[in-house]
Amino acid sequence: MRKLLSAVLLLCAACPGPKPAEEPVATPTVPTLAPDEPTAPKPDAVSAQYRGYVAMNEVIRSRVSTSPTFELAFYLGSRGFSLTPLLGQWDGQGIRNSFRNGKPNAMSFLIWRTAFEGLGKDLAANCPGQPPLPVGSLLKPRPEVTALLAKLCTWPSAEARSEETLNEAWRLFARYDAPDDERTAWRESFQSAAYDSASVEEVLSDLSVTVFMNPYVLLDN
Amino acid sequence: MMHFNRRFMLKSLAAGLSALTLPSRAKAEGAAPHFFLQLVVSGGMDQTYLFDARPWAMTQAGLLQNYLKTEPTVWNGTNDVSTLAASTTGALRPYAADLAIVNGVIMSSSFDGHDQNMNVLFTGNPFGGTSFLTQLNQDAPLDYLRQAFLFADLDDSRFVQVDPSGARELSERLKARGVSGSRATSFLQTRYDKSGGGLGRLSAGARSLLDAAKESARLEAALRKVTLAPPAPDPNSMPGSPPAAGATGMVPQLEVVAEYFRHSIVRSALLEIRSAGGLVDTHDAESAKAQPQLYASVAESIAQVLKYLKETPYDAASSLLDVTTVMVSSEFGRTMRQENLPIDATGTDHNPLCNSLMLAGKGVRGGTVSGGSDQQQAGEALSGAHLALDAKKLKMMGRPVDFVSGRPTAAQPAAYDPAQYLTIASVVNTVYSLFGVDASKYMELGRNLPKAPVLQALLK
C-alpha cells in the first residue's frame, strides 16, 4: 500500500498543474577577461615532455640503425648511461613509478645535442673516404639510410642539396611525426648559404640534431 | 673565515688556476657568492645517537632504547643553550665552532611516512611540490645538483643529477666539441619559437625547449671550464649511485659540487649521506643494535664534508665554507622505543614531532644550539599538545621556542599551535632570509596559516 502511494505521489509530481508564478530568469554573466589578464595556460600544467631516452633510442633503432643493441648513450662516453636518466625515463617502483626528468632544461638539451651530434658523426663515418670513428661505427645503417648517405656524402653537390634528397632524409628520419611546414623550413635551412662550405661531417651532425631535436620528434606529443 | 695554511695554499695552486683566475659569474657581476649545500640522511635520524640525546637514566627507566649504553655528554652552545651529544658525534667535535645544532624541529604533525615528511622538508607540503632549493637560485642556469635518492615528490625541473664520472665526461666532451653546431641550435630555436606560439601541450613543451636552448649556451660555456680529476675505478659503483661513507666516499661528489659552484652552474647541491653498513631506518631490534656504528659513520661523513669545505679554496680569498651555507637533515627523528617491547630488544619508528638538524657556513652563527625537546627525564609532565599528538608517549616532541635566543621555553601548551614551535618551515625561512628570498615566498606554518618565523638565533 505504501509503495502504491509513493508511486502515485511520484506520478503526480510529474503531472501538469497550475503554473507557479515565474521568477525572472537571471541572464548568465559571461566572465570577461581584463585586457591585461594572461590568457595562456600555465606552462607546467599541460606541457609536453621528452619522449625519454628509451623511446628516442627506439626511434633510432627503427629508422636509422640495424643494430638491435644500438644505444645513443654510446655517444656520451664510457659513462654515458649515467647521463641518460636526465633525458626522461620511467622510474620508481609500484605506485611511485612515474616519468621523471621529462621537462626540458639546459643540461638535458646539451646532452641530447651531444648524443645526436655523435649520431651524425657516425653517419658521416659511413661515407666513402671518411675516416672511421675511433671505435668504429656503432650504427650499422639500414639499407635505405646507406642509399641516402650515398647522396648526402657528396655534399655540397647539387644532388645532395636537392629538394628530393633532403625530403627523403626527412621522411626517413622524422617519418610523419611533424607537420609539413617543419620539413619545409628544415630543408630550406640546409639549402641556405650557411651550409655552402660546410663539411659532410658538419652537415650530417647538424642534420641529425635538427631532425631528432625537432619538438614534434623529441617531445611526447 | 678562511683558514690560511700550507695545505690550503697548495690546494689553491693545484685547483687553482680555474679557481683563482676564472671569475665566476656572481663575482663578475659584483654580487657576493653564496651557495647552499644540503646533506640528507634518508630514513630518519635517531637523536639517541647524535644530538638531543637522553640521559642513560631514561634507558634504565625503560623509556629509551640506547644500544651505545653510555651516558651522553653536554654540548654547550655559545648562546647559553646546550644539548646532550652521544659519543658517536666525536668526529664532529673539531667543528663545534662551525656547527649550529637545531633541535626539536617539528616536521609534519599529521603524517608519519617517509615521503610525506621528506616532502615537508623540501616543499612545506606533505604532498610535495617545488623544492625550496629552487628559490635560492637567482642567476645560475640550473637550480641545483642532486646526488641523492629521495622519497619525495618534487616537480623541480632545473636540476641535474649526475655522478662524478658522468660530469667529467660531459665536460671533456664539450671541450673537445669545439664551438661548431651553433647553426643547428639557432635553427632549432626558430622552430621552438614557432611551435611555442599556441596553447596546447606541444606548444608549452616547445617553450620549455626554447628556454633550455637559450640557456644552454651559457651552461655549455660554464661546463667547458669544469676540471675534474679522473675518478678512481670502483667496480661496485652503479651509475647514479650515491657515495658510500668512508674516508674518501664523499670527495668525488664534493669535487663536482666545488666546480659547479665555482663556475656558477648551480646555486645549490643536494648530497645524500649513506651510513656505512646499513640504513638508519631501523624498525627491528637487530638493526637498531647496529646503530652506534651507523651513526659514527654518518658523523664521519659530515665531518669529512666540513673538512673539505674548509680546506678547499673557492677563490683566492675564501674557502668553500666561507661562501656556502650547509644544512644537514633527515626527514624526521625516531621514537624512543616501540610499544610493548623490552627496552633492550626494541627498534624505533618514525617521529616527525622531533628532528635535529645541523647548519654551518656562510651566514650561520656557528657554535650555537637552538631548540629543544621534552621527555628529558622519566616522569616528566607532558603538555596537552604532546598528548594530543602522541598519547602513548613514545615520541619526543619539540618544545616551544624563543625565536630570538633559540632557547626552548617552559610553556606547556594545551593544544598544538605551530606558531609557538620550531617547525621545519622556520628553518627553511631562515635559509631564505640568508639568501634574500622575497618574504612572499616564505613557507607557511600550515595551510592558510601565516608565514613561519625566522629563527633569528641562527643568523650571524
Side-chain angles (χ1 to χ4, degrees), chain B residues 131-445:
Chain B
S131 82
F132 75 90
L133 298 173
T134 62
Q135 301 290 347
L136 307 181
N137 188 15
Q138 290 160 0
D139 54 8
L142 295 169
D143 289 336
Y144 64 95
L145 170 71
R146 185 196 291 184
Q147 188 68 59
F149 292 110
L150 296 179
F151 281 114
D153 298 306
L154 306 182
D155 58 19
D156 306 342
S157 60
R158 296 179 70 228
F159 70 92
V160 57
Q161 182 154 351
V162 58
D163 71 14
S165 302
R168 180 177 178 276
E169 286 235 18
L170 182 63
S171 285
E172 294 306 314
R173 290 215 159 227
L174 291 173
K175 285 177 201 171
R177 176 179 172 270
V179 289
S180 64
S182 58
R183 280 173 304 212
T185 304
S186 300
F187 172 74
L188 284 172
Q189 288 190 33
T190 66
R191 305 323 299 161
Y192 299 156
D193 192 31
K194 180 170 186 303
S195 304
L199 296 175
R201 280 185 79 246
L202 187 115
S203 288
R207 286 195 293 275
S208 295
L209 272 172
L210 181 60
D211 292 342
K214 286 177 177 170
E215 195 67 273
S216 68
R218 187 155 70 96
L219 177 62
E220 183 174 9
L223 285 169
R224 283 165 180 269
K225 295 175 187 169
V226 168
T227 303
L228 294 164
D234 178 2
N236 298 319
S237 83
M238 295 287 287
S241 61
T248 59
M250 301 290 292
V251 171
Q253 274 68 28
L254 291 167
E255 297 282 2
V256 180
V257 170
E259 279 293 272
Y260 277 37
F261 282 179
R262 282 191 194 110
H263 299 296
S264 295
I265 293 166
V266 292
R267 175 63 74 97
S268 303
L270 168 57
L271 301 184
E272 182 177 5
I273 289 182
R274 285 210 161 179
S275 48
L279 299 171
V280 297
D281 187 29
T282 49
H283 290 276
D284 64 292
E286 287 311 305
S287 300
K289 287 175 184 172
Q291 288 191 70
Q293 290 75 34
L294 299 187
Y295 282 92
S297 79
V298 167
E300 280 168 17
S301 292
I302 296 168
Q304 184 187 45
V305 172
L306 293 172
K307 180 174 190 287
Y308 178 89
L309 295 176
K310 282 186 99 159
E311 294 182 354
T312 304
Y314 170 71
D315 59 16
S318 320
S319 74
L320 271 173
L321 191 61
D322 292 334
V323 296
T324 305
T325 302
V326 183
M327 178 165 135
V328 186
S329 64
S330 188
E331 64 268 46
F332 42 52
R334 303 200 73 81
T335 58
M336 300 196 298
R337 62 187 186 281
Q338 289 169 318
E339 198 177 7
N340 299 327
L341 288 176
I343 204 64
D344 58 353
T346 179
T348 57
D349 297 318
H350 306 167
N351 179 12
L353 302 181
C354 187
N355 200 357
S356 289
L357 283 70
M358 290 167 247
L359 285 97
K362 183 165 182 173
V364 173
R365 202 171 151 211
T368 57
V369 175
S370 296
S373 55
D374 60 11
Q375 300 241 50
Q376 294 286 341
Q377 55 190 349
E380 181 181 316
L382 299 179
S383 68
H386 183 130
L387 295 171
L389 296 170
D390 170 41
K392 293 178 179 173
K393 304 181 186 177
L394 295 171
K395 298 174 178 175
M396 304 177 283
M397 181 176 175
R399 296 187 67 86
V401 72
D402 178 280
F403 286 86
V404 177
S405 68
R407 196 169 290 121
T409 72
Q412 294 275 70
Y416 177 63
D417 171 10
Q420 291 181 275
Y421 290 84
L422 179 54
T423 63
I424 187 64
S426 272
V427 180
V428 170
N429 288 350
T430 307
V431 172
Y432 277 172
S433 75
L434 286 172
F435 279 81
V437 174
D438 191 279
S440 65
K441 304 271 178 63
Y442 279 23
M443 282 190 181
E444 295 169 347
L445 287 164

Side-chain angles (χ1 to χ4, degrees), chain A residues 39-44 46-50 74-79 81-83 86 96 101 103-107 109-111 113-114 117 121 181-182 185-186 189 194-195 198 202-203 206 209-210 213-216 218-221, chain B residues 115 141-142 150-153 157-163 165-167 169-170 173-174 177 180-181 183-185 187-188 191-192 194-195 199-202 204-209 212-213 215-216 219-220 223 237-240 260 265:
Chain A
T39 53
K42 283 186 180 177
D44 292 351
V46 287
S47 182
Q49 300 191 24
Y50 289 133
F74 294 156
Y75 300 125
L76 298 173
S78 60
R79 298 282 294 180
F81 283 108
S82 73
L83 298 173
L86 299 176
R96 302 190 66 85
N101 300 340
K103 187 172 177 189
N105 68 31
M107 181 64 106
F109 183 89
L110 283 181
I111 296 169
R113 198 191 64 189
T114 304
E117 281 177 350
K121 286 174 183 164
D181 54 350
E182 290 297 315
W186 176 85
S189 80
Y195 286 95
E202 287 170 340
V203 167
D206 281 7
V209 169
T210 50
M213 292 185 72
N214 182 283
Y216 291 90
L218 190 62
L219 298 180
D220 173 28
N221 186 17
Chain B
D115 46 358
L142 295 169
L150 296 179
F151 281 114
D153 298 306
S157 60
R158 296 179 70 228
F159 70 92
V160 57
Q161 182 154 351
V162 58
D163 71 14
S165 302
E169 286 235 18
L170 182 63
R173 290 215 159 227
L174 291 173
R177 176 179 172 270
S180 64
R183 280 173 304 212
T185 304
F187 172 74
L188 284 172
R191 305 323 299 161
Y192 299 156
K194 180 170 186 303
S195 304
L199 296 175
R201 280 185 79 246
L202 187 115
R207 286 195 293 275
S208 295
L209 272 172
E215 195 67 273
S216 68
L219 177 62
E220 183 174 9
L223 285 169
S237 83
M238 295 287 287
Y260 277 37
I265 293 166

Side-chain angles (χ1 to χ4, degrees), chain A residues 142-179:
Chain A
R142 302 176 78 83
E144 59 270 31
V145 174
T146 303
L148 172 70
L149 284 176
K151 299 173 205 168
L152 287 175
C153 291
T154 63
W155 196 275
S157 71
E159 185 188 27
R161 304 185 73 176
S162 70
E163 189 171 323
E164 186 186 357
T165 301
L166 289 169
N167 281 345
E168 184 185 344
W170 180 270
R171 275 194 300 271
L172 274 179
F173 296 149
R175 299 280 168 90
Y176 296 97
D177 289 348

